[in-house]
Amino acid sequence: MGKSKGARITITLECECPNQSNIEKRSNGVFRYTSSKNRRNTPNRIELKKFCKHCNCYTIFKEIK
């Protein structure tokens, strides 16, 4: 039998835009991604560099509660 995915949890990643007052932004609000991580191997919060549609560039997304 294969391993179950019971140890993986769903997380939300939120954009940490350094330039919130950028004139060329596409839309209002905060952009978020959802992903999953292994609970046992990554007890700390994840930071990933992804594309933000809000500020139209690659920024760091941090895990929120």
Side-chain angles (χ1 to χ4, degrees), residues 6-49:
R8 298 193 73 79
I9 56 171
T10 304
I11 59 168
T12 304
L13 301 168
E14 186 175 276
C15 180
E16 295 289 327
C17 296
N19 50 355
Q20 291 287 342
S21 61
N22 190 3
I23 298 172
E24 298 178 14
K25 63 184 175 181
R26 292 185 181 181
S27 63
N28 295 329
V30 178
F31 192 69
R32 293 184 175 143
Y33 280 104
T34 56
S35 184
S36 63
K37 74 173 185 177
N38 193 339
R39 185 180 315 193
R40 288 177 291 181
N41 295 341
T42 53
N44 300 333
R45 294 194 177 204
I46 293 180
E47 292 182 2
L48 296 174
K49 193 169 185 182

